[in-house]
Short mmCIF file of all heavy atoms in Angstrom, two decimals:
data_model
loop_
_atom_site.label_atom_id
_atom_site.label_comp_id
_atom_site.label_asym_id
_atom_site.label_seq_id
_atom_site.Cartn_x
_atom_site.Cartn_y
_atom_site.Cartn_z
N VAL A 590 -37.60 -24.36 32.56
CA VAL A 590 -36.49 -24.58 31.81
C VAL A 590 -36.76 -24.63 30.33
O VAL A 590 -36.04 -24.20 29.48
CB VAL A 590 -35.78 -26.04 32.20
CG1 VAL A 590 -34.58 -26.36 31.38
CG2 VAL A 590 -35.35 -25.91 33.66
N ARG A 591 -37.98 -25.09 29.92
CA ARG A 591 -38.46 -25.01 28.60
C ARG A 591 -38.46 -23.63 28.05
O ARG A 591 -38.00 -23.34 26.88
CB ARG A 591 -39.86 -25.62 28.42
CG ARG A 591 -39.89 -27.10 28.60
CD ARG A 591 -41.20 -27.72 28.03
NE ARG A 591 -41.27 -29.18 28.35
CZ ARG A 591 -41.76 -29.65 29.49
NH1 ARG A 591 -42.13 -28.79 30.45
NH2 ARG A 591 -41.66 -30.96 29.61
N ALA A 592 -38.98 -22.74 28.79
CA ALA A 592 -38.98 -21.23 28.32
C ALA A 592 -37.54 -20.71 28.32
O ALA A 592 -37.18 -19.98 27.39
CB ALA A 592 -39.87 -20.49 29.40
N ALA A 593 -36.72 -21.17 29.23
CA ALA A 593 -35.23 -20.83 29.16
C ALA A 593 -34.63 -21.20 27.88
O ALA A 593 -33.80 -20.45 27.23
CB ALA A 593 -34.53 -21.26 30.36
N VAL A 594 -34.96 -22.41 27.44
CA VAL A 594 -34.34 -22.88 26.19
C VAL A 594 -34.86 -22.04 25.00
O VAL A 594 -34.03 -21.67 24.14
CB VAL A 594 -34.69 -24.40 25.96
CG1 VAL A 594 -34.36 -24.86 24.54
CG2 VAL A 594 -33.99 -25.19 27.06
N ALA A 595 -36.07 -21.66 25.04
CA ALA A 595 -36.61 -20.79 23.99
C ALA A 595 -35.94 -19.49 23.87
O ALA A 595 -35.57 -18.97 22.84
CB ALA A 595 -38.10 -20.70 24.07
N ILE A 596 -35.69 -19.02 25.02
CA ILE A 596 -34.94 -17.66 25.12
C ILE A 596 -33.47 -17.92 24.65
O ILE A 596 -32.99 -17.07 23.93
CB ILE A 596 -35.03 -17.10 26.63
CG1 ILE A 596 -36.30 -16.80 26.95
CG2 ILE A 596 -34.13 -15.81 26.56
CD1 ILE A 596 -36.54 -16.42 28.52
N ALA A 597 -32.91 -19.04 25.10
CA ALA A 597 -31.47 -19.27 24.71
C ALA A 597 -31.33 -19.44 23.19
O ALA A 597 -30.38 -18.84 22.55
CB ALA A 597 -31.10 -20.64 25.35
N ASP A 598 -32.30 -20.04 22.52
CA ASP A 598 -32.33 -20.09 21.00
C ASP A 598 -32.42 -18.77 20.32
O ASP A 598 -31.72 -18.39 19.39
CB ASP A 598 -33.50 -20.94 20.61
CG ASP A 598 -33.19 -22.42 20.74
OD1 ASP A 598 -32.20 -22.87 21.09
OD2 ASP A 598 -34.27 -23.23 20.97
N GLU A 599 -33.24 -17.86 21.01
CA GLU A 599 -33.33 -16.49 20.49
C GLU A 599 -32.08 -15.73 20.62
O GLU A 599 -31.58 -15.01 19.76
CB GLU A 599 -34.50 -15.71 21.29
CG GLU A 599 -34.72 -14.29 21.01
CD GLU A 599 -35.73 -13.64 22.00
OE1 GLU A 599 -36.45 -14.40 22.57
OE2 GLU A 599 -35.51 -12.37 22.21
N VAL A 600 -31.35 -15.93 21.69
CA VAL A 600 -30.12 -15.27 22.09
C VAL A 600 -29.02 -15.77 20.96
O VAL A 600 -28.32 -14.84 20.40
CB VAL A 600 -29.61 -15.60 23.43
CG1 VAL A 600 -28.22 -15.15 23.61
CG2 VAL A 600 -30.52 -14.77 24.51
N VAL A 601 -28.97 -17.03 20.72
CA VAL A 601 -27.98 -17.46 19.80
C VAL A 601 -28.16 -16.92 18.31
O VAL A 601 -27.27 -16.50 17.76
CB VAL A 601 -27.91 -19.05 19.76
CG1 VAL A 601 -26.94 -19.56 18.61
CG2 VAL A 601 -27.45 -19.61 21.08
N ALA A 602 -29.46 -16.94 17.94
CA ALA A 602 -29.70 -16.34 16.67
C ALA A 602 -29.41 -14.82 16.63
O ALA A 602 -28.96 -14.30 15.54
CB ALA A 602 -31.26 -16.59 16.29
N LEU A 603 -29.69 -14.21 17.76
CA LEU A 603 -29.47 -12.73 17.89
C LEU A 603 -27.96 -12.43 17.71
O LEU A 603 -27.55 -11.48 17.03
CB LEU A 603 -30.07 -12.18 19.07
CG LEU A 603 -29.95 -10.68 19.38
CD1 LEU A 603 -30.72 -9.92 18.33
CD2 LEU A 603 -30.54 -10.41 20.71
N VAL A 604 -27.16 -13.20 18.34
CA VAL A 604 -25.74 -12.86 18.55
C VAL A 604 -24.84 -13.33 17.42
O VAL A 604 -23.73 -12.82 17.12
CB VAL A 604 -25.14 -13.18 19.85
CG1 VAL A 604 -24.84 -14.74 19.99
CG2 VAL A 604 -23.94 -12.48 20.31
N ARG A 605 -25.38 -14.37 16.75
CA ARG A 605 -24.42 -15.09 15.72
C ARG A 605 -23.88 -14.25 14.74
O ARG A 605 -22.65 -14.34 14.29
CB ARG A 605 -25.13 -16.28 15.14
CG ARG A 605 -24.30 -17.10 14.23
CD ARG A 605 -25.03 -18.38 13.67
NE ARG A 605 -25.08 -19.38 14.78
CZ ARG A 605 -26.20 -20.00 15.03
NH1 ARG A 605 -27.20 -19.84 14.42
NH2 ARG A 605 -26.17 -20.91 16.06
N PRO A 606 -24.63 -13.24 14.13
CA PRO A 606 -24.00 -12.37 13.02
C PRO A 606 -22.83 -11.53 13.43
O PRO A 606 -22.00 -11.22 12.64
CB PRO A 606 -25.20 -11.38 12.66
CG PRO A 606 -26.41 -12.26 13.04
CD PRO A 606 -26.07 -12.96 14.28
N LEU A 607 -22.61 -11.36 14.76
CA LEU A 607 -21.47 -10.57 15.25
C LEU A 607 -20.17 -11.35 14.97
O LEU A 607 -19.06 -10.76 14.69
CB LEU A 607 -21.52 -10.42 16.67
CG LEU A 607 -22.62 -9.25 17.16
CD1 LEU A 607 -22.70 -9.19 18.67
CD2 LEU A 607 -22.36 -8.00 16.42
N ARG A 608 -20.22 -12.74 15.05
CA ARG A 608 -18.99 -13.51 14.63
C ARG A 608 -17.78 -13.17 15.42
O ARG A 608 -16.68 -13.33 15.05
CB ARG A 608 -18.73 -13.54 13.22
CG ARG A 608 -19.86 -14.00 12.38
CD ARG A 608 -19.59 -13.89 10.84
NE ARG A 608 -18.51 -14.62 10.48
CZ ARG A 608 -17.91 -14.62 9.25
NH1 ARG A 608 -18.24 -13.74 8.31
NH2 ARG A 608 -16.93 -15.44 8.97
N ASP A 609 -18.10 -12.73 16.70
CA ASP A 609 -16.80 -12.36 17.63
C ASP A 609 -16.69 -13.39 18.67
O ASP A 609 -17.61 -14.32 18.89
CB ASP A 609 -17.02 -10.99 18.20
CG ASP A 609 -17.83 -11.04 19.41
OD1 ASP A 609 -19.05 -11.51 19.33
OD2 ASP A 609 -17.44 -10.67 20.54
N TYR A 610 -15.51 -13.49 19.33
CA TYR A 610 -15.23 -14.53 20.26
C TYR A 610 -16.08 -14.31 21.61
O TYR A 610 -16.51 -15.30 22.13
CB TYR A 610 -13.77 -14.46 20.48
CG TYR A 610 -13.11 -15.71 21.22
CD1 TYR A 610 -12.75 -16.78 20.51
CD2 TYR A 610 -13.13 -15.61 22.65
CE1 TYR A 610 -12.20 -17.85 21.26
CE2 TYR A 610 -12.58 -16.69 23.35
CZ TYR A 610 -12.16 -17.84 22.68
OH TYR A 610 -11.58 -18.90 23.37
N PHE A 611 -15.99 -13.09 22.06
CA PHE A 611 -16.54 -12.81 23.37
C PHE A 611 -18.05 -12.98 23.46
O PHE A 611 -18.72 -13.79 24.22
CB PHE A 611 -16.10 -11.50 23.84
CG PHE A 611 -16.68 -11.02 25.20
CD1 PHE A 611 -16.18 -11.48 26.32
CD2 PHE A 611 -17.82 -10.21 25.21
CE1 PHE A 611 -16.72 -10.97 27.52
CE2 PHE A 611 -18.29 -9.76 26.39
CZ PHE A 611 -17.81 -10.21 27.57
N ALA A 612 -18.83 -12.26 22.68
CA ALA A 612 -20.28 -12.20 22.64
C ALA A 612 -20.77 -13.53 22.16
O ALA A 612 -21.67 -14.12 22.84
CB ALA A 612 -20.78 -11.00 21.87
N VAL A 613 -20.32 -13.95 21.03
CA VAL A 613 -20.89 -15.26 20.48
C VAL A 613 -20.60 -16.38 21.29
O VAL A 613 -21.43 -17.21 21.62
CB VAL A 613 -20.39 -15.46 18.98
CG1 VAL A 613 -20.92 -16.75 18.42
CG2 VAL A 613 -20.88 -14.26 18.04
N GLY A 614 -19.34 -16.47 21.73
CA GLY A 614 -18.75 -17.57 22.61
C GLY A 614 -19.67 -17.63 23.90
O GLY A 614 -20.01 -18.71 24.34
N THR A 615 -19.58 -16.49 24.54
CA THR A 615 -20.16 -16.46 25.92
C THR A 615 -21.69 -16.77 25.86
O THR A 615 -22.24 -17.66 26.66
CB THR A 615 -19.98 -15.12 26.57
OG1 THR A 615 -18.62 -14.88 26.69
CG2 THR A 615 -20.68 -15.03 27.84
N ASN A 616 -22.39 -16.16 24.95
CA ASN A 616 -23.93 -16.43 24.93
C ASN A 616 -24.22 -17.81 24.37
O ASN A 616 -25.19 -18.42 24.80
CB ASN A 616 -24.46 -15.36 24.04
CG ASN A 616 -24.69 -14.04 24.73
OD1 ASN A 616 -25.54 -13.93 25.63
ND2 ASN A 616 -23.80 -13.00 24.31
N THR A 617 -23.35 -18.43 23.53
CA THR A 617 -23.64 -19.72 22.99
C THR A 617 -23.45 -20.68 24.21
O THR A 617 -24.23 -21.62 24.34
CB THR A 617 -22.52 -19.99 21.95
OG1 THR A 617 -22.95 -19.17 20.77
CG2 THR A 617 -22.75 -21.57 21.52
N VAL A 618 -22.39 -20.54 24.97
CA VAL A 618 -22.25 -21.61 26.06
C VAL A 618 -23.32 -21.40 27.14
O VAL A 618 -23.83 -22.48 27.85
CB VAL A 618 -20.80 -21.56 26.62
CG1 VAL A 618 -19.74 -21.86 25.61
CG2 VAL A 618 -20.47 -20.25 27.33
N ASN A 619 -23.84 -20.19 27.46
CA ASN A 619 -24.88 -20.02 28.33
C ASN A 619 -26.09 -20.59 27.84
O ASN A 619 -26.87 -21.18 28.54
CB ASN A 619 -25.09 -18.52 28.56
CG ASN A 619 -23.97 -17.88 29.37
OD1 ASN A 619 -23.14 -18.62 30.10
ND2 ASN A 619 -23.87 -16.58 29.36
N ALA A 620 -26.34 -20.48 26.49
CA ALA A 620 -27.48 -21.15 25.95
C ALA A 620 -27.38 -22.65 26.03
O ALA A 620 -28.44 -23.37 26.32
CB ALA A 620 -27.61 -20.75 24.39
N ALA A 621 -26.18 -23.23 25.76
CA ALA A 621 -25.95 -24.62 25.87
C ALA A 621 -26.21 -25.16 27.35
O ALA A 621 -26.70 -26.20 27.54
CB ALA A 621 -24.58 -25.00 25.55
N HIS A 622 -25.97 -24.30 28.37
CA HIS A 622 -26.21 -24.68 29.83
C HIS A 622 -27.67 -24.87 29.95
O HIS A 622 -28.17 -25.90 30.56
CB HIS A 622 -25.77 -23.46 30.65
CG HIS A 622 -25.86 -23.82 32.17
ND1 HIS A 622 -25.19 -23.09 33.10
CD2 HIS A 622 -26.60 -24.76 32.84
CE1 HIS A 622 -25.40 -23.55 34.27
NE2 HIS A 622 -26.21 -24.51 34.16
#
Side-chain angles (χ1 to χ4, degrees):
V590 178
R591 288 192 185 88
V594 170
I596 298 171
D598 288 337
E599 177 189 335
V600 169
V601 171
L603 182 62
V604 78
R605 183 174 287 136
L607 290 178
R608 299 176 65 189
D609 80 307
Y610 191 91
F611 176 80
V613 176
T615 300
N616 283 285
T617 298
V618 297
N619 288 345
H622 186 165

